Amino acid sequence: FFVDFDDNGSIIRMNEDGSGAVKLCSDGASNLSVDGEYLYYFSSHNNSKLYRIKKDGTGKACLN
């Protein structure tokens, strides 16, 4: 998982060999953290609020 700053802070999931890249969201993400089944990040598009999203790109929720 990584944040693609060249694509407006999109969160990208890909295989370890670099194949199979999939955009999970385009929220202007920063400070990406991975824990268990969730990714946590701050969204610059939403007043730097904290969000979480499942590793498959579903279940996005604002936590504050």
Side-chain angles (χ1 to χ4, degrees):
F1 299 95
F2 68 95
V3 176
D4 185 351
F5 293 107
D6 289 334
D7 188 22
N8 205 22
S10 297
I11 297 176
I12 309 295
R13 178 186 72 214
M14 73 166 56
N15 298 321
E16 289 182 14
D17 66 2
S19 67
V22 175
K23 184 187 299 189
L24 301 180
C25 68
S26 300
D27 284 349
S30 64
N31 298 327
L32 182 65
S33 179
V34 180
D35 181 29
E37 69 179 288
Y38 289 100
L39 307 171
Y40 296 87
Y41 62 94
F42 290 95
S43 173
S44 65
H45 293 215
N46 295 304
N47 297 321
S48 296
K49 291 186 177 188
L50 178 64
Y51 282 83
R52 77 174 183 192
I53 190 169
K54 289 186 178 182
K55 290 180 179 178
D56 65 1
T58 64
K60 184 171 97 173
C62 182
L63 301 179
N64 62 346

